[in-house]
Amino acid sequence: MKKILITGGAGFIGTHLCERLLNDGNEVICLDNFFTGNKQNVIHLLKNPYFELIRHDVTTSFFIEVDEIYNLACPASPIHYQYNSIKTIKTSVMGAINMLGLAKRIKAKILQASTSEVYGDPIIHPQTEDYWGNVNPIGLRSCYDEGKRCAESLFMNYYFQNNVRIKIVRIFNTYGPKMHPNDGRVVSNFIIQALKNKPITIYGDGTQTRSFQYVDDLIEGMIRMMNSDDSIIGPINIGNPNEFTILELAQTIIKLTNSKSKIEFFKLPQDDPTQRKPDITLAQKNLNNWQPKILIEEGLLKTIDYFKSII
Ligand code: NAD
Ligand code: UDP
């Protein structure tokens, strides 16, 4: 039985990771400050004697003995990470320093939940891991993008300088049950709007693209990465290369929910990336042929069922 720390474990992805690692027979310690996550997400796990929930902010140091650390703590939706942008930078940077320091001291393996946002508004398409990105360092998204880029740099330097056993995954847009209903992300927004027969809010003309991955596929990829040989440190893209325009996504969700919603167009936010699609060759090669299995309609139907149950 491994002892595993998950920072940001009460958030959307963290909750799925806690559940899966407990089901696999591990002991899980979930650490969260409940900024965007909440106790409700993990309340069903509290009766499991191998699960512990700790309220803590990763910007201050934390001591524990564990075998592995998954570092997920950081608000992920533009609305949430821009709400207190300085805190977002602190969470990414000081959170990484504190968790890497812990990993170094206790010789634990540590995985960083990085993001496709390190590629910014990418000029290379699809994005390969060797692309350095096109990020505006002073724009509205920079608190998140540059915070995550600095965290990657910290991970690499703790590896080079201190031989810390690091793993970096770059996560592309992920959706599924337990997404925060008010985080403003496109999948949750469109599903809730469609279920309420309210206008679907497309920012810009809807031609910008994203590639959406169902959360179970991500969790499988993250766990395979953690369990991979120490020589595999990443960064490795984890995402579903199925690319859609935001307009196509809106139409699919309207169809799947039998909604009467009409599409309305609004101003595009600053620095909104025009295209995004992962090249997953490296993940397939290094993670035992990992590849996403859940098709978009299947994943959206599961997510729609979840939102029906909570609204
Ligand atoms: P989320 O907002 O649901 O989860 C983040 C969790 O971190 C929340 O539970 C929040 O309360 C916690 N947290 C925030 N600041 C903290 C702090 N200072 N100390 C302790 N806990 C803190 O977001 P998510 O979608 O589950 O994302 C999880 C991770 O995956 C994030 O690091 C995010 O950057 C990364 N990621 C997510 C996506 C995606 O599409 N969901 C894509 C790329 C990367
Ligand atoms: N988007 C949209 N309507 C919404 C929410 C988002 O058109 O109600 C767009 C947004 O401008 C972006 C895409 O959908 O182009 C994905 O947005 P999200 O915030 O989910 O993720 P990110 O931009 O971080 O990839």
Side-chain angles (χ1 to χ4, degrees), residues 5-9 12-14 17 69-76 91-93 95-96 99-100 110-118 144-145 147-152 155 166-172 174 185 213 218-219 221-223 225-226 233 235-238:
L5 174 68
I6 305 178
T7 74
F12 158 51
I13 294 171
L17 190 58
I69 303 169
Y70 287 83
N71 188 37
L72 273 62
C74 185
T91 295
S92 271
V93 176
M99 287 305 136
L100 283 161
I110 179 164
L111 179 143
Q112 167 69 354
S114 190
T115 167
S116 52
E117 281 286 318
V118 300
Y144 184 70
D145 299 9
K148 288 285 187 177
R149 285 166 68 95
C150 183
E152 283 200 10
F155 268 70
I166 65 150
K167 308 271 179 190
I168 302 173
V169 290
R170 291 184 178 153
I171 302 170
F172 283 64
T174 303
R185 278 188 268 196
Q213 148 175 256
L218 166 67
I219 299 297
M222 288 172 83
I223 292 175
M225 180 66 170
M226 183 62 105
I233 60 170
I236 290 189
N237 291 338
I238 305 278

Side-chain angles (χ1 to χ4, degrees), residues 16 19 52 127 147-148 157 161 197-198 225 243 290:
H16 288 272
E19 283 174 0
E52 260 175 85
Q127 291 79 56
K148 288 285 187 177
N157 284 292
Q161 211 170 306
N197 293 310
K198 292 201 168 146
M225 180 66 170
E243 186 182 9
W290 170 86

